[in-house]
Amino acid sequence: MPQSRHRRRSAARRSARRVPPISARPNRSRIRRWLYLLASALIAVLVIAGFALGGIPLGGGGNAQQGQASEPVAGIGQSVDKPDDRTHFAAEFTITDINEDGYTTTPPTSGRHWPQWASCGFYRDGIAPGTAQLADEVIVHNMEHGNIVVSYNLADQAQVDALEDAFSDIGQSNQWGVARHYDQIPAGTVALTTWGVIDQWNVTDDGINKDRIERFFEAYSGRLGPEFPNGSPCTIGGSMRP
């Protein structure tokens, strides 16, 4: 017996209730697009957070080229005693506020220091306008990471230029080296330091001596700093820039 018009309309209404309209069905393409946008936003947040933390290297030296020595080498600098205390203190104080005797060597090779460290580079205080002498409390932190610090007290512009050329020609210097003007050593002196090792000379007697600087870098770059077992390059430091 054929259905009445009333029954056909009732059946149509029940069927419509079972099947959602097209606009209510999930759009897989739209869902994928929103998931992609969400993932991209999350990655951007993580990158920004990394920069906000100062780009601090968390895993050590990575692929940075390192030196060959795991301890001081005879004939490449002089080994000096290292204090056990290498903790940080606030930058509003100096080392003599914390320890009236200051550091054990001049320039220093270890000890307590500020939380900040310097980026790699050649700093020219008193010669290039707008630069500042890097404080001991900063560069000691660099050495704790296995960096090499070249301190110089040279008044002759030609000597400073020659030292910068020698420094820049050394392959490891752009990852492990900080050079700074330093008036606490005698005039005409260049000093090389890393954690627990020092080497210094007067350029009147021995010249700039690029070979001596290079041997120091080849031996100790990234090797003697106690904070990271594989060193931590100075390619990203604190707020200071050369």
Side-chain angles (χ1 to χ4, degrees), residues 58-83:
L58 299 177
N63 294 324
Q65 184 179 2
Q66 294 179 296
Q68 302 170 353
S70 57
E71 58 185 24
V73 177
I76 305 180
Q78 178 183 353
S79 177
V80 293
D81 291 337
K82 303 181 293 295

Side-chain angles (χ1 to χ4, degrees), residues 26 38 55 73 75 93 100 109 113 131 134 160-161 183 188 203 224 235 238:
L38 181 62
V73 177
F93 302 104
E100 64 180 10
T109 59
H113 49 274
T131 61
L134 292 180
V160 176
D161 291 343
D183 58 14
V203 298
L224 302 185
T235 48

Side-chain angles (χ1 to χ4, degrees), residues 151-156 159 181-183 185-191 200-208:
S151 300
Y152 64 91
N153 188 5
L154 304 174
D156 188 326
Q159 291 178 338
H181 178 265
Y182 187 62
D183 58 14
I185 53 179
T189 299
V190 173
Q200 64 182 30
W201 67 95
N202 191 289
V203 298
T204 302
D205 301 327
D206 205 18
I208 294 300

Side-chain angles (χ1 to χ4, degrees), residues 81-149:
D81 291 337
K82 303 181 293 295
D84 293 331
D85 189 355
R86 55 183 179 90
T87 57
H88 298 169
F89 60 89
E92 61 193 270
F93 302 104
T94 66
I95 186 61
T96 53
D97 295 323
I98 305 301
N99 175 10
E100 64 180 10
D101 294 327
Y103 288 112
T104 56
T105 62
T106 304
T109 59
S110 59
R112 297 187 66 180
H113 49 274
W114 291 344
Q116 299 81 14
W117 66 94
S119 294
C120 308
F122 194 97
Y123 294 74
R124 299 171 68 102
D125 178 53
I127 297 172
T131 61
Q133 179 165 296
L134 292 180
D136 286 343
E137 292 85 355
V138 171
I139 62 93
V140 170
H141 197 155
N142 282 82
M143 290 185 287
E144 186 186 34
H145 293 183
N147 298 166
I148 307 295
V149 177

